[in-house]
């Protein structure tokens, strides 16, 4: 089962776990459980891909140091990004509406949808064992490094976040 906790700059702090409902309300990040053996046919995933128009599938079967350096840098994308873990363990850190880091531990079968405009970064437990899948828009997949708050997609995301779009 997925775990989410608040990251703190302070040392010796007891982990503060965050319920999935709070993750969604404070960041817009959605969580789903998907069957990794047959993910391409999973009806929930197919429905999400249709709803969000994310039809470009990119398997991540080998991570290189350069990939890891790019992913650990705080950034956002214009469009929603889906990430499904097939093997190993990955950690997504996302900024919530209070500009705090929330760490999401993902294991095989865990799928998250990170809204376009949401700052995030990604690390793996070990690059040798991690395998995953990205589901992206068919067009454009550019990472905007922080700070880049003047872009319309970032402003739209923040407006949705503060106007309660993720409260239900």
């Amino acid at each position: 089962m997925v775990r989410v906790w608040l990251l703190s700059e302070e040392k010796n702090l007891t982990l503060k776990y965050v319920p999935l409902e709070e993750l969604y309300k404070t960041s817009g990040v959605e969580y789903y459980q998907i069957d990794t053996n047959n993910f391409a046919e999973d009806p929930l995933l197919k429905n999400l891909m249709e709803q969000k128009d994310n039809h470009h599938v990119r398997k991540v079967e080998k991570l290189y140091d350069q990939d890891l350096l790019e992913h650990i840098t705080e950034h956002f994308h214009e469009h929603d990004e889906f990430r499904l873990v097939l093997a190993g363990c990955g950690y997504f850190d996302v900024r919530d509406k209070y500009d705090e880091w929330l760490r999401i531990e993902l294991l095989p079968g865990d799928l998250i949808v990170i809204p376009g405009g949401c700052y995030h970064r990604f690390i793996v437990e070990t690059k040798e064992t991690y395998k995953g899948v990205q589901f992206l828009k068919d067009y454009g997949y550019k990472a905007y490094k922080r700070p880049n708050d003047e872009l319309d997609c970032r402003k739209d995301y923040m407006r949705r976040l503060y106007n309660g779009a993720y409260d239900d």
Side-chain angles (χ1 to χ4, degrees), residues 91-112:
Y91 298 95
F92 273 90
D93 297 339
V94 297
R95 290 275 185 188
D96 67 9
K97 67 182 179 183
Y98 310 107
D99 206 29
E100 300 268 3
W101 282 116
L102 296 174
R103 175 155 287 177
I104 308 163
E105 176 187 53
L106 299 176
L107 300 171
D110 291 336
L111 170 80
I112 59 171

Side-chain angles (χ1 to χ4, degrees), residues 4-168:
V4 180
W5 59 92
L6 181 66
L7 288 181
S8 175
E9 302 296 324
E10 297 177 32
K11 307 263 189 282
N12 301 323
L13 196 76
T14 305
L15 287 181
K16 178 188 178 233
Y17 287 100
V18 175
L20 289 175
E21 298 80 24
E22 186 177 334
L23 171 68
Y24 181 70
K25 285 180 180 182
T26 62
S27 69
V29 173
E30 301 171 63
Y31 169 79
Y32 302 94
Q33 184 71 38
I34 303 293
D35 178 9
T36 58
N37 295 318
N38 197 20
F39 69 87
E41 298 303 316
D42 188 285
L44 174 63
L45 181 55
K46 282 183 164 183
N47 187 38
L48 285 169
M49 290 171 69
E50 278 303 312
Q51 282 178 3
K52 307 225 182 226
D53 193 27
N54 283 40
H55 297 285
H56 180 73
V57 178
R58 180 177 165 254
K59 286 192 175 183
V60 178
E61 296 183 342
K62 183 160 177 62
L63 288 169
Y64 298 96
D65 289 340
Q66 184 58 36
D67 296 326
L68 294 173
L69 286 173
E70 287 178 24
H71 291 301
I72 193 66
T73 303
E74 186 176 0
H75 64 281
F76 68 83
H77 309 284
E78 282 184 79
H79 309 288
D80 294 351
E81 176 185 14
F82 300 11
R83 287 292 194 113
L84 172 64
V85 175
L86 299 176
C89 177
Y91 298 95
F92 273 90
D93 297 339
V94 297
R95 290 275 185 188
D96 67 9
K97 67 182 179 183
Y98 310 107
D99 206 29
E100 300 268 3
W101 282 116
L102 296 174
R103 175 155 287 177
I104 308 163
E105 176 187 53
L106 299 176
L107 300 171
D110 291 336
L111 170 80
I112 59 171
V113 178
I114 302 170
C118 177
Y119 281 115
H120 62 278
R121 61 187 182 192
F122 173 69
I123 57 174
V124 294
E125 195 166 79
T126 60
K127 68 180 183 178
E128 292 77 24
T129 60
Y130 180 84
K131 290 184 177 26
V133 183
Q134 289 178 288
F135 300 87
L136 310 164
K137 296 279 187 195
D138 293 334
Y139 49 90
Y141 179 70
K142 183 175 178 180
Y144 296 94
K145 295 180 180 170
R146 189 171 187 161
N148 233 322
D149 296 328
E150 74 285 349
L151 293 175
D152 286 342
C153 61
R154 174 72 180 159
K155 289 178 183 176
D156 290 344
Y157 166 71
M158 294 303 291
R159 195 170 12 263
R160 288 190 315 272
L161 195 59
Y162 282 102
N163 288 335
Y166 304 111
D167 285 348
D168 54 358

